[in-house]
Amino acid sequence: EFAIEAKGLVKTYAATKTTPEMRALKGVDLAIPRGSIFGLLGPNGAGKSTFINILAGLCRKTSGQVKIWGRDIDERPRDARAAIGVVPQEIAADPFFTPREALEVAAGMYAVPPKERRTDELLTALGLADKSSAYVRQLSGGMKRRLMVAKAMVHNPPVLILDEPTAGVDVELRRQLWNYVLELNRRGVTIVLTTHYLEEAQELCDQIAIINRGLVVACEPTTTLLRRM
Ligand code: ADP
Ligand code: ADP
């Protein structure tokens, strides 16, 4: 069983008055092993966010099959979505919440029973324990991003998906974020991230799929892929 498996995945955005029909995914086959750090690498417009949005349930696929942690997203959508946490590109945390409140609200949305919440554990794991009672607006950019990761993990999913986790982030923050992601993986979480930085995929990922114009054009262990480039 894979963490995520897509077969013949197609997404066509309908035409609008101002834009033509867009085939964003043209039959994507992808099998992401459990326990891996898997990079989805490709230029802007390749279809990476579309893929993530289909996994997250934010966008409907046109055709094809997707399984998350062995659960078909058509047949068992709730079970499938319970197996992933998604960190969006943009920071979306209420500036007037504290990190602790933000995590409690997120846990509530996932209907995690109070006794099963791991708020303190997550605050510590993401280096936010000292700031757990500060307002989100007072946190540094790096802390806000780590809070986004913590929010995605409140229901203890086996898979964490990050969409362009370090876009527009400086080198130091990027390293810091990578370290937290690596630590989560060491604890057994499967990591899927999209990036258009080859360097990021190379440093972090043990397997890389290159996606271009809606198709997977390569999918290999990082070591063999780089030998050919
Ligand atoms: P990436 O994340 O790799 O940059 P996207 O998945 O965002 O790629 O986009 C893939 C293609 O689909 C692009 O041509 C983009 O313009 C188009 N697209 C993305 N979202 C929409 C949408 N909501 N409606 C129409 N076209 C879209
Ligand atoms: P379902 O009956 O909804 O398929 P299961 O609990 O049987 O759910 O889970 C299916 C697989 O996913 C099992 O291998 C289980 O160990 C694994 N699994 C489910 N939830 C988690 C989790 N939070 N962390 C790690 N593995 C999980």
mmCIF file of all heavy atoms in Angstrom, residues 81-128:
data_model
loop_
_atom_site.group_PDB
_atom_site.id
_atom_site.type_symbol
_atom_site.label_atom_id
_atom_site.label_comp_id
_atom_site.label_asym_id
_atom_site.label_seq_id
_atom_site.Cartn_x
_atom_site.Cartn_y
_atom_site.Cartn_z
ATOM 1 N N ARG A 81 -9.494 11.903 3.593
ATOM 2 C CA ARG A 81 -9.032 13.243 4.028
ATOM 3 C C ARG A 81 -8.500 13.231 5.459
ATOM 4 O O ARG A 81 -7.649 14.043 5.811
ATOM 5 C CB ARG A 81 -10.151 14.274 3.906
ATOM 6 C CG ARG A 81 -10.078 15.129 2.634
ATOM 7 C CD ARG A 81 -10.390 14.344 1.469
ATOM 8 N NE ARG A 81 -10.074 14.724 0.149
ATOM 9 C CZ ARG A 81 -10.976 14.638 -0.849
ATOM 10 N NH1 ARG A 81 -12.223 14.325 -0.633
ATOM 11 N NH2 ARG A 81 -10.585 14.882 -2.077
ATOM 12 N N ALA A 82 -8.995 12.304 6.290
ATOM 13 C CA ALA A 82 -8.506 12.236 7.670
ATOM 14 C C ALA A 82 -7.037 11.815 7.710
ATOM 15 O O ALA A 82 -6.353 12.035 8.703
ATOM 16 C CB ALA A 82 -9.354 11.251 8.470
ATOM 17 N N ALA A 83 -6.549 11.202 6.622
ATOM 18 C CA ALA A 83 -5.174 10.693 6.601
ATOM 19 C C ALA A 83 -4.151 11.731 6.156
ATOM 20 O O ALA A 83 -2.958 11.443 6.111
ATOM 21 C CB ALA A 83 -5.094 9.455 5.708
ATOM 22 N N ILE A 84 -4.614 12.936 5.782
ATOM 23 C CA ILE A 84 -3.654 13.973 5.375
ATOM 24 C C ILE A 84 -3.842 15.267 6.160
ATOM 25 O O ILE A 84 -4.953 15.616 6.567
ATOM 26 C CB ILE A 84 -3.754 14.339 3.862
ATOM 27 C CG1 ILE A 84 -5.200 14.656 3.462
ATOM 28 C CG2 ILE A 84 -3.140 13.263 3.000
ATOM 29 C CD1 ILE A 84 -5.330 15.246 2.069
ATOM 30 N N GLY A 85 -2.713 15.949 6.347
ATOM 31 C CA GLY A 85 -2.732 17.326 6.807
ATOM 32 C C GLY A 85 -2.123 18.146 5.686
ATOM 33 O O GLY A 85 -1.137 17.734 5.086
ATOM 34 N N VAL A 86 -2.735 19.289 5.372
ATOM 35 C CA VAL A 86 -2.249 20.092 4.252
ATOM 36 C C VAL A 86 -1.818 21.479 4.735
ATOM 37 O O VAL A 86 -2.582 22.161 5.423
ATOM 38 C CB VAL A 86 -3.327 20.238 3.158
ATOM 39 C CG1 VAL A 86 -2.790 21.037 1.982
ATOM 40 C CG2 VAL A 86 -3.800 18.861 2.693
ATOM 41 N N VAL A 87 -0.607 21.860 4.392
ATOM 42 C CA VAL A 87 -0.101 23.194 4.712
ATOM 43 C C VAL A 87 -0.191 24.029 3.441
ATOM 44 O O VAL A 87 0.517 23.771 2.474
ATOM 45 C CB VAL A 87 1.365 23.138 5.185
ATOM 46 C CG1 VAL A 87 1.859 24.528 5.583
ATOM 47 C CG2 VAL A 87 1.520 22.173 6.348
ATOM 48 N N PRO A 88 -1.110 25.004 3.409
ATOM 49 C CA PRO A 88 -1.257 25.810 2.196
ATOM 50 C C PRO A 88 -0.073 26.754 2.014
ATOM 51 O O PRO A 88 0.732 26.949 2.921
ATOM 52 C CB PRO A 88 -2.542 26.593 2.452
ATOM 53 C CG PRO A 88 -2.658 26.692 3.925
ATOM 54 C CD PRO A 88 -1.987 25.470 4.493
ATOM 55 N N GLN A 89 0.008 27.322 0.809
ATOM 56 C CA GLN A 89 1.115 28.238 0.510
ATOM 57 C C GLN A 89 1.063 29.495 1.367
ATOM 58 O O GLN A 89 2.075 29.972 1.855
ATOM 59 C CB GLN A 89 1.013 28.652 -0.951
ATOM 60 C CG GLN A 89 2.066 28.030 -1.824
ATOM 61 C CD GLN A 89 1.908 28.491 -3.256
ATOM 62 O OE1 GLN A 89 2.091 29.664 -3.559
ATOM 63 N NE2 GLN A 89 1.573 27.580 -4.129
ATOM 64 N N GLU A 90 -0.145 30.014 1.514
ATOM 65 C CA GLU A 90 -0.249 31.302 2.187
ATOM 66 C C GLU A 90 -0.514 31.101 3.675
ATOM 67 O O GLU A 90 -1.099 30.104 4.096
ATOM 68 C CB GLU A 90 -1.320 32.183 1.523
ATOM 69 C CG GLU A 90 -2.727 31.645 1.524
ATOM 70 C CD GLU A 90 -2.930 30.427 0.602
ATOM 71 O OE1 GLU A 90 -2.099 30.164 -0.299
ATOM 72 O OE2 GLU A 90 -3.923 29.723 0.824
ATOM 73 N N ILE A 91 -0.051 32.020 4.501
ATOM 74 C CA ILE A 91 -0.260 31.924 5.938
ATOM 75 C C ILE A 91 -1.709 32.285 6.232
ATOM 76 O O ILE A 91 -2.185 33.348 5.847
ATOM 77 C CB ILE A 91 0.714 32.852 6.696
ATOM 78 C CG1 ILE A 91 2.129 32.283 6.571
ATOM 79 C CG2 ILE A 91 0.311 33.001 8.158
ATOM 80 C CD1 ILE A 91 3.224 33.256 6.917
ATOM 81 N N ALA A 92 -2.412 31.351 6.871
ATOM 82 C CA ALA A 92 -3.824 31.571 7.172
ATOM 83 C C ALA A 92 -4.079 31.240 8.635
ATOM 84 O O ALA A 92 -4.548 30.167 8.973
ATOM 85 C CB ALA A 92 -4.693 30.696 6.258
ATOM 86 N N ALA A 93 -3.678 32.145 9.519
ATOM 87 C CA ALA A 93 -3.953 31.973 10.942
ATOM 88 C C ALA A 93 -4.446 33.316 11.458
ATOM 89 O O ALA A 93 -3.890 34.358 11.109
ATOM 90 C CB ALA A 93 -2.685 31.542 11.678
ATOM 91 N N ASP A 94 -5.495 33.282 12.253
ATOM 92 C CA ASP A 94 -6.069 34.510 12.768
ATOM 93 C C ASP A 94 -5.019 35.287 13.568
ATOM 94 O O ASP A 94 -4.474 34.772 14.547
ATOM 95 C CB ASP A 94 -7.269 34.179 13.653
ATOM 96 C CG ASP A 94 -8.038 35.434 14.046
ATOM 97 O OD1 ASP A 94 -7.390 36.429 14.447
ATOM 98 O OD2 ASP A 94 -9.280 35.420 13.937
ATOM 99 N N PRO A 95 -4.710 36.537 13.182
ATOM 100 C CA PRO A 95 -3.645 37.288 13.860
ATOM 101 C C PRO A 95 -3.929 37.559 15.331
ATOM 102 O O PRO A 95 -3.008 37.793 16.108
ATOM 103 C CB PRO A 95 -3.559 38.597 13.067
ATOM 104 C CG PRO A 95 -4.816 38.687 12.279
ATOM 105 C CD PRO A 95 -5.281 37.279 12.052
ATOM 106 N N PHE A 96 -5.201 37.511 15.720
ATOM 107 C CA PHE A 96 -5.538 37.809 17.114
ATOM 108 C C PHE A 96 -5.800 36.563 17.954
ATOM 109 O O PHE A 96 -6.263 36.654 19.077
ATOM 110 C CB PHE A 96 -6.711 38.798 17.182
ATOM 111 C CG PHE A 96 -6.340 40.120 16.597
ATOM 112 C CD1 PHE A 96 -6.787 40.489 15.333
ATOM 113 C CD2 PHE A 96 -5.478 40.973 17.279
ATOM 114 C CE1 PHE A 96 -6.408 41.702 14.777
ATOM 115 C CE2 PHE A 96 -5.098 42.187 16.727
ATOM 116 C CZ PHE A 96 -5.563 42.554 15.461
ATOM 117 N N PHE A 97 -5.467 35.388 17.410
ATOM 118 C CA PHE A 97 -5.428 34.171 18.209
ATOM 119 C C PHE A 97 -4.014 34.000 18.744
ATOM 120 O O PHE A 97 -3.051 34.525 18.184
ATOM 121 C CB PHE A 97 -5.744 32.950 17.351
ATOM 122 C CG PHE A 97 -7.206 32.688 17.128
ATOM 123 C CD1 PHE A 97 -7.600 31.609 16.347
ATOM 124 C CD2 PHE A 97 -8.188 33.492 17.679
ATOM 125 C CE1 PHE A 97 -8.945 31.337 16.119
ATOM 126 C CE2 PHE A 97 -9.542 33.229 17.455
ATOM 127 C CZ PHE A 97 -9.911 32.152 16.670
ATOM 128 N N THR A 98 -3.881 33.219 19.798
ATOM 129 C CA THR A 98 -2.562 32.738 20.195
ATOM 130 C C THR A 98 -2.341 31.412 19.463
ATOM 131 O O THR A 98 -3.310 30.779 19.014
ATOM 132 C CB THR A 98 -2.499 32.484 21.714
ATOM 133 O OG1 THR A 98 -3.371 31.398 22.034
ATOM 134 C CG2 THR A 98 -2.922 33.732 22.495
ATOM 135 N N PRO A 99 -1.085 30.959 19.337
ATOM 136 C CA PRO A 99 -0.851 29.659 18.704
ATOM 137 C C PRO A 99 -1.660 28.551 19.379
ATOM 138 O O PRO A 99 -2.228 27.688 18.717
ATOM 139 C CB PRO A 99 0.646 29.444 18.893
ATOM 140 C CG PRO A 99 1.204 30.827 18.875
ATOM 141 C CD PRO A 99 0.185 31.656 19.610
ATOM 142 N N ARG A 100 -1.752 28.597 20.712
ATOM 143 C CA ARG A 100 -2.524 27.575 21.422
ATOM 144 C C ARG A 100 -3.982 27.595 20.977
ATOM 145 O O ARG A 100 -4.569 26.555 20.679
ATOM 146 C CB ARG A 100 -2.420 27.819 22.931
ATOM 147 C CG ARG A 100 -3.198 26.820 23.772
ATOM 148 C CD ARG A 100 -3.042 27.125 25.259
ATOM 149 N NE ARG A 100 -1.651 27.049 25.678
ATOM 150 C CZ ARG A 100 -1.009 25.899 25.884
ATOM 151 N NH1 ARG A 100 -1.625 24.754 25.718
ATOM 152 N NH2 ARG A 100 0.261 25.902 26.248
ATOM 153 N N GLU A 101 -4.563 28.811 20.879
ATOM 154 C CA GLU A 101 -5.965 28.913 20.453
ATOM 155 C C GLU A 101 -6.132 28.440 19.013
ATOM 156 O O GLU A 101 -7.094 27.759 18.686
ATOM 157 C CB GLU A 101 -6.452 30.362 20.583
ATOM 158 C CG GLU A 101 -6.640 30.801 22.027
ATOM 159 C CD GLU A 101 -6.759 32.315 22.181
ATOM 160 O OE1 GLU A 101 -6.451 33.062 21.223
ATOM 161 O OE2 GLU A 101 -7.150 32.751 23.276
ATOM 162 N N ALA A 102 -5.187 28.813 18.161
ATOM 163 C CA ALA A 102 -5.280 28.420 16.755
ATOM 164 C C ALA A 102 -5.301 26.890 16.639
ATOM 165 O O ALA A 102 -6.059 26.325 15.841
ATOM 166 C CB ALA A 102 -4.105 29.000 15.963
ATOM 167 N N LEU A 103 -4.484 26.211 17.448
ATOM 168 C CA LEU A 103 -4.435 24.744 17.392
ATOM 169 C C LEU A 103 -5.704 24.130 17.973
ATOM 170 O O LEU A 103 -6.207 23.122 17.470
ATOM 171 C CB LEU A 103 -3.210 24.210 18.138
ATOM 172 C CG LEU A 103 -1.853 24.556 17.520
ATOM 173 C CD1 LEU A 103 -0.737 23.807 18.246
ATOM 174 C CD2 LEU A 103 -1.815 24.240 16.035
ATOM 175 N N GLU A 104 -6.247 24.740 19.017
ATOM 176 C CA GLU A 104 -7.482 24.226 19.605
ATOM 177 C C GLU A 104 -8.647 24.356 18.617
ATOM 178 O O GLU A 104 -9.461 23.453 18.483
ATOM 179 C CB GLU A 104 -7.806 24.965 20.915
ATOM 180 C CG GLU A 104 -6.891 24.591 22.080
ATOM 181 C CD GLU A 104 -7.116 23.146 22.560
ATOM 182 O OE1 GLU A 104 -8.243 22.640 22.432
ATOM 183 O OE2 GLU A 104 -6.146 22.539 23.050
ATOM 184 N N VAL A 105 -8.702 25.491 17.926
ATOM 185 C CA VAL A 105 -9.760 25.699 16.938
ATOM 186 C C VAL A 105 -9.634 24.683 15.804
ATOM 187 O O VAL A 105 -10.610 24.064 15.384
ATOM 188 C CB VAL A 105 -9.727 27.146 16.385
ATOM 189 C CG1 VAL A 105 -10.646 27.289 15.174
ATOM 190 C CG2 VAL A 105 -10.130 28.135 17.469
ATOM 191 N N ALA A 106 -8.388 24.475 15.351
ATOM 192 C CA ALA A 106 -8.166 23.509 14.266
ATOM 193 C C ALA A 106 -8.563 22.104 14.720
ATOM 194 O O ALA A 106 -9.206 21.354 13.975
ATOM 195 C CB ALA A 106 -6.709 23.547 13.821
ATOM 196 N N ALA A 107 -8.213 21.751 15.956
ATOM 197 C CA ALA A 107 -8.565 20.424 16.475
ATOM 198 C C ALA A 107 -10.087 20.278 16.556
ATOM 199 O O ALA A 107 -10.643 19.218 16.266
ATOM 200 C CB ALA A 107 -7.931 20.203 17.847
ATOM 201 N N GLY A 108 -10.751 21.363 16.914
ATOM 202 C CA GLY A 108 -12.210 21.354 16.966
ATOM 203 C C GLY A 108 -12.814 21.113 15.586
ATOM 204 O O GLY A 108 -13.772 20.357 15.443
ATOM 205 N N MET A 109 -12.220 21.735 14.579
ATOM 206 C CA MET A 109 -12.738 21.565 13.216
ATOM 207 C C MET A 109 -12.585 20.118 12.745
ATOM 208 O O MET A 109 -13.376 19.631 11.955
ATOM 209 C CB MET A 109 -12.049 22.531 12.259
ATOM 210 C CG MET A 109 -12.499 23.969 12.521
ATOM 211 S SD MET A 109 -12.114 25.113 11.199
ATOM 212 C CE MET A 109 -10.353 25.134 11.272
ATOM 213 N N TYR A 110 -11.529 19.454 13.224
ATOM 214 C CA TYR A 110 -11.345 18.037 12.880
ATOM 215 C C TYR A 110 -12.071 17.122 13.860
ATOM 216 O O TYR A 110 -11.912 15.910 13.797
ATOM 217 C CB TYR A 110 -9.856 17.675 12.864
ATOM 218 C CG TYR A 110 -9.167 18.037 11.581
ATOM 219 C CD1 TYR A 110 -8.314 19.126 11.497
ATOM 220 C CD2 TYR A 110 -9.364 17.262 10.434
ATOM 221 C CE1 TYR A 110 -7.668 19.448 10.315
ATOM 222 C CE2 TYR A 110 -8.721 17.574 9.255
ATOM 223 C CZ TYR A 110 -7.873 18.665 9.202
ATOM 224 O OH TYR A 110 -7.239 18.973 8.036
ATOM 225 N N ALA A 111 -12.821 17.729 14.798
ATOM 226 C CA ALA A 111 -13.558 16.948 15.796
ATOM 227 C C ALA A 111 -12.647 16.007 16.582
ATOM 228 O O ALA A 111 -13.012 14.871 16.891
ATOM 229 C CB ALA A 111 -14.705 16.176 15.139
ATOM 230 N N VAL A 112 -11.430 16.488 16.897
ATOM 231 C CA VAL A 112 -10.542 15.698 17.752
ATOM 232 C C VAL A 112 -11.040 15.871 19.196
ATOM 233 O O VAL A 112 -11.146 17.002 19.670
ATOM 234 C CB VAL A 112 -9.080 16.198 17.655
ATOM 235 C CG1 VAL A 112 -8.159 15.364 18.550
ATOM 236 C CG2 VAL A 112 -8.589 16.187 16.214
ATOM 237 N N PRO A 113 -11.377 14.765 19.882
ATOM 238 C CA PRO A 113 -11.873 14.904 21.259
ATOM 239 C C PRO A 113 -10.824 15.571 22.152
ATOM 240 O O PRO A 113 -9.626 15.283 21.997
ATOM 241 C CB PRO A 113 -12.105 13.456 21.706
ATOM 242 C CG PRO A 113 -12.098 12.635 20.465
ATOM 243 C CD PRO A 113 -11.267 13.362 19.463
ATOM 244 N N PRO A 114 -11.247 16.457 23.081
ATOM 245 C CA PRO A 114 -10.286 17.182 23.927
ATOM 246 C C PRO A 114 -9.212 16.289 24.549
ATOM 247 O O PRO A 114 -8.041 16.666 24.601
ATOM 248 C CB PRO A 114 -11.188 17.813 24.988
ATOM 249 C CG PRO A 114 -12.476 18.040 24.273
ATOM 250 C CD PRO A 114 -12.630 16.890 23.316
ATOM 251 N N LYS A 115 -9.593 15.094 24.987
ATOM 252 C CA LYS A 115 -8.613 14.207 25.630
ATOM 253 C C LYS A 115 -7.528 13.733 24.682
ATOM 254 O O LYS A 115 -6.445 13.330 25.106
ATOM 255 C CB LYS A 115 -9.318 12.976 26.220
ATOM 256 C CG LYS A 115 -9.906 13.247 27.585
ATOM 257 C CD LYS A 115 -10.398 11.959 28.217
ATOM 258 C CE LYS A 115 -10.871 12.233 29.636
ATOM 259 N NZ LYS A 115 -11.544 11.078 30.219
ATOM 260 N N GLU A 116 -7.840 13.725 23.377
ATOM 261 C CA GLU A 116 -6.864 13.215 22.403
ATOM 262 C C GLU A 116 -6.040 14.328 21.771
ATOM 263 O O GLU A 116 -5.221 14.090 20.898
ATOM 264 C CB GLU A 116 -7.589 12.423 21.303
ATOM 265 C CG GLU A 116 -8.109 11.093 21.792
ATOM 266 C CD GLU A 116 -8.982 10.384 20.764
ATOM 267 O OE1 GLU A 116 -8.820 10.655 19.552
ATOM 268 O OE2 GLU A 116 -9.844 9.599 21.188
ATOM 269 N N ARG A 117 -6.285 15.568 22.185
ATOM 270 C CA ARG A 117 -5.541 16.683 21.580
ATOM 271 C C ARG A 117 -4.108 16.691 22.072
ATOM 272 O O ARG A 117 -3.828 16.353 23.224
ATOM 273 C CB ARG A 117 -6.246 18.006 21.901
ATOM 274 C CG ARG A 117 -7.589 18.040 21.199
ATOM 275 C CD ARG A 117 -8.290 19.357 21.314
ATOM 276 N NE ARG A 117 -9.629 19.181 20.740
ATOM 277 C CZ ARG A 117 -10.585 20.079 20.778
ATOM 278 N NH1 ARG A 117 -10.370 21.239 21.351
ATOM 279 N NH2 ARG A 117 -11.754 19.831 20.221
ATOM 280 N N ARG A 118 -3.214 17.087 21.177
ATOM 281 C CA ARG A 118 -1.798 17.067 21.520
ATOM 282 C C ARG A 118 -1.230 18.475 21.379
ATOM 283 O O ARG A 118 -0.151 18.671 20.825
ATOM 284 C CB ARG A 118 -1.057 16.116 20.581
ATOM 285 C CG ARG A 118 -1.642 14.703 20.517
ATOM 286 C CD ARG A 118 -0.968 13.923 19.422
ATOM 287 N NE ARG A 118 -1.070 14.632 18.150
ATOM 288 C CZ ARG A 118 -0.094 14.719 17.261
ATOM 289 N NH1 ARG A 118 1.065 14.151 17.485
ATOM 290 N NH2 ARG A 118 -0.285 15.378 16.139
ATOM 291 N N THR A 119 -1.990 19.446 21.868
ATOM 292 C CA THR A 119 -1.621 20.842 21.649
ATOM 293 C C THR A 119 -0.207 21.154 22.152
ATOM 294 O O THR A 119 0.608 21.717 21.412
ATOM 295 C CB THR A 119 -2.656 21.762 22.320
ATOM 296 O OG1 THR A 119 -3.952 21.380 21.851
ATOM 297 C CG2 THR A 119 -2.407 23.214 21.979
ATOM 298 N N ASP A 120 0.081 20.764 23.390
ATOM 299 C CA ASP A 120 1.401 21.090 23.951
ATOM 300 C C ASP A 120 2.522 20.374 23.216
ATOM 301 O O ASP A 120 3.574 20.951 22.943
ATOM 302 C CB ASP A 120 1.439 20.745 25.449
ATOM 303 C CG ASP A 120 0.632 21.758 26.250
ATOM 304 O OD1 ASP A 120 0.952 22.955 26.156
ATOM 305 O OD2 ASP A 120 -0.326 21.358 26.922
ATOM 306 N N GLU A 121 2.255 19.112 22.890
ATOM 307 C CA GLU A 121 3.252 18.320 22.158
ATOM 308 C C GLU A 121 3.585 18.987 20.816
ATOM 309 O O GLU A 121 4.753 19.104 20.435
ATOM 310 C CB GLU A 121 2.665 16.927 21.940
ATOM 311 C CG GLU A 121 3.614 15.896 21.363
ATOM 312 C CD GLU A 121 2.848 14.630 20.965
ATOM 313 O OE1 GLU A 121 1.910 14.238 21.694
ATOM 314 O OE2 GLU A 121 3.195 14.050 19.914
ATOM 315 N N LEU A 122 2.543 19.459 20.124
ATOM 316 C CA LEU A 122 2.761 20.096 18.825
ATOM 317 C C LEU A 122 3.481 21.433 18.981
ATOM 318 O O LEU A 122 4.376 21.763 18.197
ATOM 319 C CB LEU A 122 1.425 20.311 18.105
ATOM 320 C CG LEU A 122 0.880 19.112 17.343
ATOM 321 C CD1 LEU A 122 -0.517 19.419 16.831
ATOM 322 C CD2 LEU A 122 1.810 18.759 16.180
ATOM 323 N N LEU A 123 3.089 22.206 19.976
ATOM 324 C CA LEU A 123 3.742 23.506 20.198
ATOM 325 C C LEU A 123 5.237 23.288 20.458
ATOM 326 O O LEU A 123 6.082 24.011 19.930
ATOM 327 C CB LEU A 123 3.086 24.236 21.375
ATOM 328 C CG LEU A 123 1.681 24.790 21.103
ATOM 329 C CD1 LEU A 123 1.003 25.219 22.401
ATOM 330 C CD2 LEU A 123 1.742 25.968 20.125
ATOM 331 N N THR A 124 5.565 22.270 21.235
ATOM 332 C CA THR A 124 6.963 21.972 21.523
ATOM 333 C C THR A 124 7.677 21.460 20.277
ATOM 334 O O THR A 124 8.777 21.922 19.945
ATOM 335 C CB THR A 124 7.050 20.921 22.658
ATOM 336 O OG1 THR A 124 6.368 21.445 23.791
ATOM 337 C CG2 THR A 124 8.496 20.625 23.017
ATOM 338 N N ALA A 125 7.031 20.521 19.560
ATOM 339 C CA ALA A 125 7.671 19.918 18.383
ATOM 340 C C ALA A 125 8.005 20.962 17.322
ATOM 341 O O ALA A 125 9.005 20.841 16.621
ATOM 342 C CB ALA A 125 6.762 18.839 17.795
ATOM 343 N N LEU A 126 7.184 22.004 17.206
ATOM 344 C CA LEU A 126 7.408 23.015 16.182
ATOM 345 C C LEU A 126 8.114 24.248 16.742
ATOM 346 O O LEU A 126 8.174 25.286 16.064
ATOM 347 C CB LEU A 126 6.085 23.399 15.509
ATOM 348 C CG LEU A 126 5.579 22.532 14.339
ATOM 349 C CD1 LEU A 126 6.605 22.439 13.216
ATOM 350 C CD2 LEU A 126 5.191 21.144 14.777
ATOM 351 N N GLY A 127 8.635 24.154 17.951
ATOM 352 C CA GLY A 127 9.417 25.247 18.521
ATOM 353 C C GLY A 127 8.587 26.478 18.844
ATOM 354 O O GLY A 127 9.051 27.607 18.721
ATOM 355 N N LEU A 128 7.342 26.267 19.262
ATOM 356 C CA LEU A 128 6.436 27.395 19.527
ATOM 357 C C LEU A 128 6.025 27.472 20.997
ATOM 358 O O LEU A 128 5.192 28.306 21.367
ATOM 359 C CB LEU A 128 5.182 27.268 18.647
ATOM 360 C CG LEU A 128 5.403 27.401 17.143
ATOM 361 C CD1 LEU A 128 4.173 26.896 16.380
ATOM 362 C CD2 LEU A 128 5.689 28.843 16.755
#
